[in-house]
Amino acid sequence: MGFIMDGLGAEGYDRSYGDRELLWRIVAYFRPYRRLMLGVAGVTVLNAVMSTALPILVGRMIDRLEATPDLASARWLLLAFLVFGALSWTFNYLRQWHTARAVGDIVLKLRQDAFGAVMERDMSFYDEFPSGKIVSRVTSDTQAFASVVTLTLNLLSEFLLILLVLGVLLSLNVRLTVLTLAIAPLVIAAALSFRRIARQTTLNAQRALANVNANVQETITGIGVAKSFRQEQNIYDRFAGINQQSYAVTLRQGMTFSAIFPILVFIAGLGTTLIVYLGGTGVLEGDISAGEWFLFVEAVNLFWFPLTSVASFWSQFQQG
């Protein structure tokens, strides 16, 4: 597989940063948009509260219907479910809207900074490095950064949801909550194990894309000379090789990221299975009601999703 990585070495203008330094550089782009970030945080809190309230409402209503079954209670349950669901959707929409605006502003500033850095270089720089790769840095790489900014903003919502759900779990059953928390480090450790390989495969994928962009731009720029000497087939064959390399490297990147979530979900699924069994046993023994058991299982499922998102964040963050 070594030949796949041929030509994907670092450029002369590449710099190497540690995770902490990169993180602070990214945070610097957020500082001018503190007010917008506060708006995102506000609707994020409300969205997390609504998401947590829904299973609590259903669990309490199950206990009420089990004790005194009547049609009026069922109607109130339906109405409350619709209201909470509508509020959750509204707050989520506002969060996504504010996030999209923040991402657009931040990527705009990043692209301006990147282009400004390009303009500051002297002519010898452009003689040494392919212009297509430089264009890829300003366009493709900044666009890829946009998805990471979105991921970062969504992380806030996931973290708040974890804290709220954890509070609900502790209020229901401390023993089962401790068991859930004992499984959480396994999820985090599995996700962090992908960090290094995720960073390397992402770096190679971006370099391979830069090679494709450079080849296309140089070909179009010199197309007159190429046609004069009837070199179309040779140029096409060269592009096919570069494009195949980009395909192979991007495929490895996709396989790396695709492997993260199935492993995390598998570990979380094992934890849920164990909790369902122990909780069901508790219902039969009278230690916990059916509604509380339902609420706990729903809360655990609600807990695993943001936890796996937060745990896998650092591997996905390598793209930025």
Side-chain angles (χ1 to χ4, degrees):
M1 295 290 289
F3 67 92
I4 294 178
M5 304 303 170
D6 290 346
L8 297 183
E11 297 290 346
Y13 50 82
D14 277 343
R15 300 176 185 177
S16 179
Y17 298 99
D19 288 339
R20 180 176 297 180
E21 187 175 1
L22 281 174
L23 183 62
W24 282 114
R25 293 192 69 188
I26 291 173
V27 168
Y29 279 95
F30 284 87
R31 288 197 185 107
Y33 307 100
R34 288 189 291 269
R35 288 180 134 187
L36 190 57
M37 293 298 100
L38 287 175
V40 172
V43 293
T44 296
V45 170
L46 293 174
N47 182 49
V49 169
M50 291 299 105
S51 298
T52 308
L54 277 173
I56 295 176
L57 174 67
V58 175
R60 297 308 183 203
M61 281 298 184
I62 288 176
D63 283 342
R64 181 173 177 179
L65 289 172
E66 185 180 26
T68 56
D70 61 273
L71 188 59
S73 296
R75 287 173 178 170
W76 277 111
L77 171 62
L78 178 60
L79 178 61
F81 194 82
L82 289 174
V83 170
F84 275 83
L87 288 174
S88 179
W89 182 90
T90 301
F91 292 136
N92 186 55
Y93 170 79
L94 291 173
R95 179 177 66 87
Q96 295 290 351
W97 187 83
H98 283 295
T99 297
R101 183 179 172 188
V103 169
D105 290 343
I106 291 170
V107 172
L108 173 65
K109 181 64 170 62
L110 179 65
R111 192 166 286 173
Q112 289 173 338
D113 290 347
F115 189 76
V118 169
M119 297 302 295
E120 290 176 359
R121 302 288 182 171
D122 55 28
M123 288 303 298
S124 62
F125 175 81
Y126 298 98
D127 292 334
E128 183 178 358
F129 301 107
S131 58
K133 290 187 177 182
I134 300 171
V135 171
S136 184
R137 293 296 177 96
V138 178
T139 56
S140 300
D141 287 359
T142 52
Q143 190 58 43
F145 180 74
S147 63
V148 178
V149 175
T150 303
L151 180 70
T152 305
L153 294 176
N154 287 339
L155 183 69
L156 175 63
S157 175
E158 309 291 359
F159 187 70
L160 285 171
L161 191 56
I162 287 175
L163 294 179
L164 288 171
V165 173
L166 187 59
V168 173
L169 292 175
L170 285 169
S171 68
L172 291 174
N173 192 296
V174 175
R175 183 172 63 91
L176 292 179
T177 303
V178 170
L179 176 62
T180 303
L181 291 176
I183 300 170
L186 297 178
V187 176
I188 297 173
L192 290 179
S193 65
F194 281 89
R195 182 180 64 86
R196 188 176 299 276
I197 186 173
R199 185 169 194 165
Q200 190 57 48
T201 55
T202 297
L203 188 62
N204 289 332
Q206 289 175 210
R207 287 172 177 169
L209 178 61
N211 286 342
V212 172
N213 291 338
N215 181 264
V216 171
Q217 179 167 337
E218 290 166 7
T219 298
I220 293 175
T221 302
I223 194 65
V225 176
K227 284 186 172 291
S228 298
F229 290 93
R230 310 286 296 181
Q231 293 297 306
E232 292 95 329
Q233 188 61 47
N234 289 335
I235 291 174
Y236 181 84
D237 292 341
R238 182 166 178 266
F239 171 78
I242 294 174
N243 198 38
Q244 183 63 32
Q245 181 191 49
S246 178
Y247 164 77
V249 173
T250 305
L251 183 63
R252 290 188 65 182
Q253 181 195 24
M255 292 174 65
T256 299
F257 284 110
S258 298
I260 296 175
F261 275 104
I263 291 175
L264 300 185
V265 171
F266 174 74
I267 297 174
L270 292 177
T272 301
T273 302
L274 183 59
I275 289 167
V276 167
Y277 171 76
L278 293 176
T281 303
V283 172
L284 295 176
E285 294 176 352
D287 295 333
I288 186 173
S289 70
E292 289 178 338
W293 180 45
F294 167 82
L295 175 55
F296 196 92
V297 173
E298 286 294 302
V300 164
N301 289 330
L302 201 60
F303 176 76
W304 288 133
F305 177 74
L307 180 66
T308 54
S309 297
V310 171
S312 64
F313 166 77
W314 203 249
S315 295
Q316 295 173 288
F317 189 70
Q318 303 308 314
Q319 187 173 8

PDB file of all heavy atoms in Angstrom, residues 165 170 298:
ATOM      1  N   VAL A 165     -29.177  14.525  31.079  1.00  0.00           N
ATOM      2  CA  VAL A 165     -29.612  13.125  31.158  1.00  0.00           C
ATOM      3  C   VAL A 165     -28.980  12.432  32.352  1.00  0.00           C
ATOM      4  O   VAL A 165     -29.613  11.605  33.019  1.00  0.00           O
ATOM      5  CB  VAL A 165     -29.278  12.387  29.842  1.00  0.00           C
ATOM      6  CG1 VAL A 165     -29.555  10.892  29.974  1.00  0.00           C
ATOM      7  CG2 VAL A 165     -30.096  12.968  28.692  1.00  0.00           C
ATOM      8  N   LEU A 170     -29.468   9.737  37.642  1.00  0.00           N
ATOM      9  CA  LEU A 170     -29.142   9.664  39.072  1.00  0.00           C
ATOM     10  C   LEU A 170     -30.399   9.779  39.931  1.00  0.00           C
ATOM     11  O   LEU A 170     -30.487   9.153  40.995  1.00  0.00           O
ATOM     12  CB  LEU A 170     -28.158  10.777  39.434  1.00  0.00           C
ATOM     13  CG  LEU A 170     -26.712  10.563  38.982  1.00  0.00           C
ATOM     14  CD1 LEU A 170     -25.893  11.829  39.163  1.00  0.00           C
ATOM     15  CD2 LEU A 170     -26.078   9.395  39.727  1.00  0.00           C
ATOM     16  N   GLU A 298     -34.874   4.777  28.166  1.00  0.00           N
ATOM     17  CA  GLU A 298     -34.895   5.869  27.200  1.00  0.00           C
ATOM     18  C   GLU A 298     -33.793   6.882  27.494  1.00  0.00           C
ATOM     19  O   GLU A 298     -33.133   7.384  26.580  1.00  0.00           O
ATOM     20  CB  GLU A 298     -36.263   6.562  27.236  1.00  0.00           C
ATOM     21  CG  GLU A 298     -37.373   5.781  26.585  1.00  0.00           C
ATOM     22  CD  GLU A 298     -37.153   5.635  25.095  1.00  0.00           C
ATOM     23  OE1 GLU A 298     -37.047   6.665  24.400  1.00  0.00           O
ATOM     24  OE2 GLU A 298     -37.067   4.483  24.627  1.00  0.00           O
TER      25      GLU A 298
END
